[in-house]
Protein backbone atom coordinates (compact mmCIF):
# COMPACT_ATOMS: atom_id res chain seq x y z
CA UNK A 1 0.00 0.00 0.00
CA UNK A 2 1.66 3.19 -1.13
CA UNK A 3 0.37 6.69 -1.70
CA UNK A 4 1.52 8.30 -4.96
CA UNK A 5 1.60 11.74 -3.33
CA UNK A 6 2.99 12.93 0.02
CA UNK A 7 0.31 13.23 2.69
CA UNK A 8 -1.37 16.61 2.91
CA UNK A 9 -0.75 18.59 6.10
CA UNK A 10 -3.54 18.41 8.69
CA UNK A 11 -6.15 21.13 8.45
CA UNK A 12 -5.97 24.21 10.64
CA UNK A 13 -7.91 23.46 13.84
CA UNK A 14 -11.22 25.17 14.49
CA UNK A 15 -10.83 28.10 16.89
CA UNK A 16 -12.82 29.11 19.93
CA UNK A 17 -14.37 31.87 17.83
CA UNK A 18 -15.67 29.30 15.34
CA UNK A 19 -17.30 27.36 18.17
CA UNK A 20 -18.66 30.57 19.70
CA UNK A 21 -20.36 31.41 16.40
CA UNK A 22 -21.79 27.89 16.08
CA UNK A 23 -23.27 27.97 19.58
CA UNK A 24 -24.73 31.44 19.02
CA UNK A 25 -26.29 30.33 15.75
CA UNK A 26 -27.84 27.27 17.43
CA UNK A 27 -29.32 29.39 20.22
CA UNK A 28 -30.68 31.95 17.77
CA UNK A 29 -32.14 29.25 15.53
CA UNK A 30 -33.89 27.71 18.53
CA UNK A 31 -35.41 31.06 19.50
CA UNK A 32 -36.60 31.63 15.92
CA UNK A 33 -38.27 28.20 16.08
CA UNK A 34 -40.13 29.19 19.24
CA UNK A 35 -37.95 27.10 21.54
CA UNK A 36 -36.55 28.08 24.93
CA UNK A 37 -33.15 26.65 24.04
CA UNK A 38 -31.02 23.68 23.07
CA UNK A 39 -29.72 20.91 25.33
CA UNK A 40 -26.77 18.96 23.96
CA UNK A 41 -25.48 15.65 25.33
CA UNK A 42 -22.15 13.99 24.43
CA UNK A 43 -22.10 13.01 20.77
CA UNK A 44 -21.70 14.59 17.35
CA UNK A 45 -23.68 17.73 18.17
CA UNK A 46 -21.46 18.47 21.15
CA UNK A 47 -18.34 17.90 19.04
CA UNK A 48 -19.65 20.22 16.34
CA UNK A 49 -20.60 22.97 18.79
CA UNK A 50 -17.67 22.85 21.23
CA UNK A 51 -14.93 20.53 19.98
CA UNK A 52 -15.38 18.47 23.17
CA UNK A 53 -15.67 14.70 22.67
CA UNK A 54 -16.37 12.98 26.01
CA UNK A 55 -17.61 9.45 26.42
CA UNK A 56 -21.33 9.30 27.18
CA UNK A 57 -21.87 7.75 30.62
CA UNK A 58 -24.33 7.70 33.50
CA UNK A 59 -22.70 10.91 34.77
CA UNK A 60 -24.49 13.95 33.35
CA UNK A 61 -22.68 16.08 30.79
CA UNK A 62 -24.88 18.73 29.20
CA UNK A 63 -24.40 21.86 27.10
CA UNK A 64 -27.17 24.43 27.54
CA UNK A 65 -27.67 27.05 24.83
CA UNK A 66 -30.20 29.88 25.18
CA UNK A 67 -30.51 33.05 23.14
CA UNK A 68 -29.09 36.03 25.02
CA UNK A 69 -27.34 33.85 27.61
CA UNK A 70 -23.79 32.58 27.90
CA UNK A 71 -23.39 28.93 26.82
CA UNK A 72 -22.88 26.68 29.83
CA UNK A 73 -21.41 23.18 29.87
CA UNK A 74 -22.33 21.07 32.89
CA UNK A 75 -19.70 18.36 33.51
CA UNK A 76 -18.66 15.93 36.23
CA UNK A 77 -15.81 17.39 38.29
CA UNK A 78 -13.49 14.51 37.42
CA UNK A 79 -13.91 15.36 33.70
CA UNK A 80 -13.69 19.15 34.06
CA UNK A 81 -9.97 19.33 33.10
CA UNK A 82 -10.66 17.58 29.79
CA UNK A 83 -13.64 19.85 29.11
CA UNK A 84 -11.56 22.95 29.89
CA UNK A 85 -8.95 21.79 27.37
CA UNK A 86 -11.48 21.56 24.49
CA UNK A 87 -11.03 24.05 21.67
CA UNK A 88 -14.41 25.64 22.30
CA UNK A 89 -14.03 25.93 26.08
CA UNK A 90 -13.01 29.63 26.03
CA UNK A 91 -16.38 30.38 24.42
CA UNK A 92 -18.48 28.93 27.25
CA UNK A 93 -18.82 28.68 31.02
CA UNK A 94 -18.09 25.41 32.81
CA UNK A 95 -20.31 24.27 35.67
CA UNK A 96 -19.02 21.12 37.36
CA UNK A 97 -20.66 18.80 39.86
CA UNK A 98 -19.22 16.12 42.13
CA UNK A 99 -20.39 12.60 42.83
CA UNK A 100 -23.03 12.64 45.55
CA UNK A 101 -24.56 15.89 44.29
CA UNK A 102 -27.78 15.85 42.28
CA UNK A 103 -26.58 16.87 38.79
CA UNK A 104 -30.10 17.82 37.72
CA UNK A 105 -30.26 20.35 40.54
CA UNK A 106 -27.10 21.86 39.03
CA UNK A 107 -28.40 21.85 35.46
CA UNK A 108 -32.04 22.83 35.98
CA UNK A 109 -31.43 26.49 37.00
CA UNK A 110 -29.86 26.99 33.56
CA UNK A 111 -33.16 26.16 31.90
CA UNK A 112 -36.46 27.99 31.87
CA UNK A 113 -38.91 26.61 34.41
CA UNK A 114 -41.50 26.52 31.66
CA UNK A 115 -40.32 26.07 28.11
CA UNK A 116 -39.77 23.69 25.23
CA UNK A 117 -36.22 22.61 24.52
CA UNK A 118 -34.58 20.82 21.61
CA UNK A 119 -32.52 17.87 22.87
CA UNK A 120 -29.75 16.15 20.93
CA UNK A 121 -30.98 12.83 19.61
CA UNK A 122 -28.48 10.67 21.46
CA UNK A 123 -29.20 12.04 24.95
CA UNK A 124 -29.74 9.26 27.47
CA UNK A 125 -33.34 8.77 28.56
CA UNK A 126 -32.28 8.73 32.23
CA UNK A 127 -30.81 12.23 31.89
CA UNK A 128 -33.84 13.64 30.11
CA UNK A 129 -36.16 12.09 32.71
CA UNK A 130 -33.98 13.58 35.45
CA UNK A 131 -34.44 17.05 33.97
CA UNK A 132 -38.18 16.48 33.66
CA UNK A 133 -38.39 15.55 37.35
CA UNK A 134 -36.52 18.72 38.28
CA UNK A 135 -38.57 20.89 35.90
CA UNK A 136 -41.96 19.20 35.41
CA UNK A 137 -43.35 22.07 33.34
CA UNK A 138 -40.68 21.82 30.62
CA UNK A 139 -41.18 19.87 27.40
CA UNK A 140 -38.72 18.51 24.87
CA UNK A 141 -38.35 17.74 21.18
CA UNK A 142 -35.67 15.98 19.14
CA UNK A 143 -32.95 18.32 17.89
CA UNK A 144 -32.88 16.95 14.35
CA UNK A 145 -36.65 17.43 14.07
CA UNK A 146 -36.65 20.92 15.55
CA UNK A 147 -33.45 22.20 13.91
CA UNK A 148 -32.64 19.86 11.01
CA UNK A 149 -30.36 22.45 9.40
CA UNK A 150 -28.14 22.88 12.48
CA UNK A 151 -25.18 20.97 10.99
CA UNK A 152 -26.40 20.66 7.40
CA UNK A 153 -24.63 23.61 5.77
CA UNK A 154 -20.85 23.33 5.87
CA UNK A 155 -18.42 26.23 5.81
CA UNK A 156 -15.25 26.28 3.69
CA UNK A 157 -13.09 24.65 6.37
CA UNK A 158 -15.60 21.82 6.82
CA UNK A 159 -15.80 21.32 3.06
CA UNK A 160 -12.02 21.03 2.95
CA UNK A 161 -12.16 18.24 5.52
CA UNK A 162 -14.96 16.43 3.69
CA UNK A 163 -13.05 16.75 0.43
CA UNK A 164 -9.95 15.25 2.04
CA UNK A 165 -11.99 12.39 3.48
CA UNK A 166 -13.53 11.72 0.07
CA UNK A 167 -10.12 11.70 -1.58
CA UNK A 168 -8.88 9.18 1.00
CA UNK A 169 -11.86 6.93 0.29
CA UNK A 170 -11.12 7.23 -3.44
CA UNK A 171 -7.50 6.23 -2.87
CA UNK A 172 -8.74 3.26 -0.87
CA UNK A 173 -10.95 2.13 -3.75
CA UNK A 174 -8.13 2.45 -6.28
CA UNK A 175 -5.94 0.23 -4.10
CA UNK A 176 -8.61 -2.38 -3.35
CA UNK A 177 -8.99 -3.00 -7.08
CA UNK A 178 -5.44 -4.38 -7.01
CA UNK A 179 -6.09 -7.09 -4.43
CA UNK A 180 -7.35 -10.58 -5.15
CA UNK A 181 -11.05 -11.19 -4.47
CA UNK A 182 -11.71 -14.75 -5.67
CA UNK A 183 -10.96 -17.45 -3.13
CA UNK A 184 -10.91 -15.00 -0.22
CA UNK A 185 -13.58 -14.35 2.39
CA UNK A 186 -15.62 -11.17 2.53
CA UNK A 187 -14.04 -10.46 5.90
CA UNK A 188 -10.59 -10.56 4.29
CA UNK A 189 -11.50 -7.85 1.78
CA UNK A 190 -13.26 -5.85 4.51
CA UNK A 191 -10.06 -5.95 6.56
CA UNK A 192 -8.14 -4.69 3.51
CA UNK A 193 -10.59 -1.79 3.16
CA UNK A 194 -10.26 -0.86 6.84
CA UNK A 195 -6.47 -0.97 6.67
CA UNK A 196 -6.44 1.18 3.52
CA UNK A 197 -8.76 3.80 5.02
CA UNK A 198 -6.40 4.03 8.00
CA UNK A 199 -3.40 4.15 5.67
CA UNK A 200 -4.89 7.10 3.84
CA UNK A 201 -5.51 9.08 7.01
CA UNK A 202 -8.80 7.96 8.55
CA UNK A 203 -8.78 8.01 12.34
CA UNK A 204 -12.02 6.01 12.50
CA UNK A 205 -13.50 3.32 10.23
CA UNK A 206 -17.28 3.22 10.52
CA UNK A 207 -18.19 0.48 8.06
CA UNK A 208 -16.71 -1.82 5.42
CA UNK A 209 -19.58 -3.55 3.63
CA UNK A 210 -18.46 -6.36 1.31
CA UNK A 211 -21.52 -8.07 -0.17
CA UNK A 212 -20.58 -10.81 -2.61
CA UNK A 213 -22.98 -12.70 -4.86
CA UNK A 214 -26.38 -13.11 -3.14
CA UNK A 215 -25.12 -11.18 -0.09
CA UNK A 216 -24.96 -8.07 -2.26
CA UNK A 217 -28.77 -8.03 -2.34
CA UNK A 218 -28.69 -6.99 1.34
CA UNK A 219 -27.79 -3.26 1.36
CA UNK A 220 -26.38 -3.39 4.91
CA UNK A 221 -24.79 -6.83 4.73
CA UNK A 222 -22.11 -7.34 7.35
CA UNK A 223 -19.01 -8.86 5.78
CA UNK A 224 -19.10 -12.55 6.61
CA UNK A 225 -17.27 -15.81 6.09
CA UNK A 226 -18.59 -16.41 2.56
CA UNK A 227 -15.80 -17.13 0.11
CA UNK A 228 -15.94 -14.82 -2.89
CA UNK A 229 -16.15 -16.77 -6.13
CA UNK A 230 -15.42 -16.08 -9.74
CA UNK A 231 -18.63 -14.79 -11.34
CA UNK A 232 -19.69 -12.83 -8.24
CA UNK A 233 -20.88 -9.26 -8.20
CA UNK A 234 -19.41 -7.61 -5.08
CA UNK A 235 -20.87 -4.46 -3.50
CA UNK A 236 -18.27 -2.38 -1.64
CA UNK A 237 -19.52 0.34 0.72
CA UNK A 238 -17.01 1.88 3.11
CA UNK A 239 -16.23 5.02 5.05
CA UNK A 240 -15.33 6.66 8.32
CA UNK A 241 -13.82 9.85 9.70
CA UNK A 242 -10.72 11.77 8.65
CA UNK A 243 -9.87 14.98 10.51
CA UNK A 244 -13.25 14.56 12.22
CA UNK A 245 -15.33 14.54 9.01
CA UNK A 246 -16.89 11.67 7.12
CA UNK A 247 -16.33 9.68 3.99
CA UNK A 248 -18.81 7.26 2.44
CA UNK A 249 -18.58 5.74 -1.01
CA UNK A 250 -19.90 2.64 -2.78
CA UNK A 251 -18.76 0.88 -5.92
CA UNK A 252 -19.77 -2.50 -7.30
CA UNK A 253 -17.14 -4.73 -8.88
CA UNK A 254 -17.29 -8.08 -10.65
CA UNK A 255 -14.98 -11.06 -10.27
CA UNK A 256 -14.23 -11.96 -13.88
CA UNK A 257 -16.45 -11.02 -16.80
CA UNK A 258 -20.10 -10.17 -15.98
CA UNK A 259 -23.15 -11.59 -17.71
CA UNK A 260 -25.18 -9.35 -19.99
CA UNK A 261 -27.84 -8.98 -17.28
CA UNK A 262 -25.32 -8.04 -14.61
CA UNK A 263 -23.78 -5.42 -16.88
CA UNK A 264 -27.23 -4.06 -17.77
CA UNK A 265 -28.31 -3.69 -14.13
CA UNK A 266 -25.04 -1.98 -13.30
CA UNK A 267 -25.47 0.41 -16.23
CA UNK A 268 -29.00 1.27 -15.06
CA UNK A 269 -27.79 2.07 -11.53
CA UNK A 270 -24.91 4.12 -12.92
CA UNK A 271 -27.29 6.16 -15.07
CA UNK A 272 -29.66 6.61 -12.11
CA UNK A 273 -26.80 7.81 -9.94
CA UNK A 274 -25.80 10.28 -12.64
CA UNK A 275 -29.41 11.50 -12.84
CA UNK A 276 -29.52 12.04 -9.09
CA UNK A 277 -26.25 13.99 -9.10
CA UNK A 278 -27.35 16.06 -12.11
CA UNK A 279 -30.50 17.12 -10.24
CA UNK A 280 -28.49 18.78 -7.45
CA UNK A 281 -28.75 22.58 -7.39
CA UNK A 282 -29.79 25.25 -4.87
CA UNK A 283 -33.50 25.55 -4.21
CA UNK A 284 -34.40 22.05 -5.34
CA UNK A 285 -36.20 20.00 -2.69
CA UNK A 286 -34.28 17.05 -1.25
CA UNK A 287 -36.99 14.68 -2.49
CA UNK A 288 -36.25 15.67 -6.10
CA UNK A 289 -32.85 13.97 -5.89
CA UNK A 290 -34.58 10.76 -4.85
CA UNK A 291 -37.18 11.17 -7.57
CA UNK A 292 -34.58 11.71 -10.29
CA UNK A 293 -32.67 8.54 -9.44
CA UNK A 294 -35.74 6.43 -8.69
CA UNK A 295 -37.56 7.41 -11.90
CA UNK A 296 -34.84 5.96 -14.09
CA UNK A 297 -34.61 2.70 -12.15
CA UNK A 298 -38.40 2.40 -12.25
CA UNK A 299 -38.46 3.08 -15.98
CA UNK A 300 -36.27 0.02 -16.52
CA UNK A 301 -38.50 -2.21 -14.39
CA UNK A 302 -36.50 -2.38 -11.15
CA UNK A 303 -38.38 0.20 -9.08
CA UNK A 304 -39.48 -2.36 -6.49
CA UNK A 305 -35.86 -3.48 -6.06
CA UNK A 306 -34.61 -0.01 -5.07
CA UNK A 307 -35.44 -0.42 -1.39
CA UNK A 308 -33.83 2.52 0.40
CA UNK A 309 -33.58 6.31 0.23
CA UNK A 310 -31.27 7.84 -2.35
CA UNK A 311 -29.07 9.64 0.14
CA UNK A 312 -28.19 11.03 3.55
CA UNK A 313 -26.24 13.98 4.86
CA UNK A 314 -22.66 13.66 6.03
CA UNK A 315 -20.41 15.75 8.26
CA UNK A 316 -19.06 15.00 11.74
CA UNK A 317 -20.99 11.73 11.37
CA UNK A 318 -21.33 9.56 8.28
CA UNK A 319 -25.16 9.69 8.47
CA UNK A 320 -27.04 12.88 9.36
CA UNK A 321 -29.71 15.22 7.92
CA UNK A 322 -30.65 16.13 5.26
CA UNK A 323 -32.10 12.97 3.70
CA UNK A 324 -32.80 12.49 0.00
CA UNK A 325 -36.17 10.78 0.29
CA UNK A 326 -39.74 11.26 -0.92
CA UNK A 327 -41.57 13.67 1.35
CA UNK A 328 -38.50 15.72 2.33
CA UNK A 329 -39.28 19.18 1.02
CA UNK A 330 -36.27 20.96 2.54
CA UNK A 331 -34.66 23.00 -0.29
CA UNK A 332 -31.02 22.37 -1.04
CA UNK A 333 -28.66 25.13 0.12
CA UNK A 334 -25.04 25.76 -0.97
CA UNK A 335 -22.74 23.97 1.47
CA UNK A 336 -25.01 20.99 2.09
CA UNK A 337 -23.21 17.66 1.68
CA UNK A 338 -24.94 14.32 1.16
CA UNK A 339 -24.70 10.97 -0.57
CA UNK A 340 -26.34 10.01 -3.85
CA UNK A 341 -26.48 6.20 -3.78
CA UNK A 342 -29.21 4.43 -5.74
CA UNK A 343 -29.15 0.65 -5.89
CA UNK A 344 -30.89 -2.42 -7.27
CA UNK A 345 -31.10 -5.59 -5.16
CA UNK A 346 -32.16 -8.96 -6.58
CA UNK A 347 -32.71 -11.38 -3.67
CA UNK A 348 -30.74 -14.58 -3.86
CA UNK A 349 -28.72 -13.32 -6.81
CA UNK A 350 -26.79 -10.02 -6.57
CA UNK A 351 -26.98 -6.31 -5.84
CA UNK A 352 -25.55 -3.11 -7.29
CA UNK A 353 -24.99 0.24 -5.57
CA UNK A 354 -22.99 3.27 -6.67
CA UNK A 355 -22.44 6.16 -4.25
CA UNK A 356 -20.73 9.52 -4.23
CA UNK A 357 -20.79 12.36 -1.72
CA UNK A 358 -22.04 15.56 -3.36
CA UNK A 359 -21.90 19.14 -2.10
CA UNK A 360 -24.31 21.83 -3.26
CA UNK A 361 -22.57 24.76 -4.97
CA UNK A 362 -23.92 28.20 -5.92
CA UNK A 363 -25.11 26.91 -9.29
CA UNK A 364 -25.27 23.12 -9.07
CA UNK A 365 -23.42 20.32 -7.32
CA UNK A 366 -19.88 18.98 -7.00
CA UNK A 367 -18.94 15.37 -6.33
CA UNK A 368 -16.40 14.72 -3.60
CA UNK A 369 -15.65 11.27 -5.05
CA UNK A 370 -13.97 10.94 -8.42
CA UNK A 371 -13.26 7.24 -8.96
CA UNK A 372 -14.61 5.50 -12.07
CA UNK A 373 -18.23 4.43 -11.82
CA UNK A 374 -18.06 1.84 -14.60
CA UNK A 375 -18.19 -1.82 -13.57
CA UNK A 376 -14.64 -2.75 -12.58
CA UNK A 377 -13.37 -6.28 -13.24
CA UNK A 378 -11.33 -7.81 -10.43
CA UNK A 379 -9.61 -11.15 -10.03
Amino acid sequence: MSSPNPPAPPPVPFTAEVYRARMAKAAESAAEAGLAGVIVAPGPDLVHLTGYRPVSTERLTLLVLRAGAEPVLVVPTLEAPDAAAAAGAPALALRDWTDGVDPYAVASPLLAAQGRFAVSDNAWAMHLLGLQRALPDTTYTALTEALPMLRAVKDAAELDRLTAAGAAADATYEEILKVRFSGRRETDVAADLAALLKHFGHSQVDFTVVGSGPNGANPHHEAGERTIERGDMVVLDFGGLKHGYGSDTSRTVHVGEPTAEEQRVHDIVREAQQAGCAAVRPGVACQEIDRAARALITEFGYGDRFIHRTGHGIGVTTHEPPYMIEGEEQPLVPGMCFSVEPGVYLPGRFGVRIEDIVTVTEDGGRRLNATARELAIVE
Side-chain angles (χ1 to χ4, degrees), residues 284-290 322-325 328-332:
V284 169
C286 290
Q287 66 182 0
E288 295 300 331
I289 311 307
D290 183 83
Y323 299 104
M324 307 301 115
I325 185 63
E328 179 51 79
E329 298 179 349
Q330 168 66 50
L332 298 182

Side-chain angles (χ1 to χ4, degrees), residues 22 42 49 75-76 84 86 115 163 176 199 212 223 235 256 262 279 281 313 347 364 369:
R22 290 179 182 176
L49 291 165
V75 296
T163 299
I176 205 68
H199 176 74
S212 65
V235 177
E262 289 170 332
R281 62 184 182 277
N369 297 104

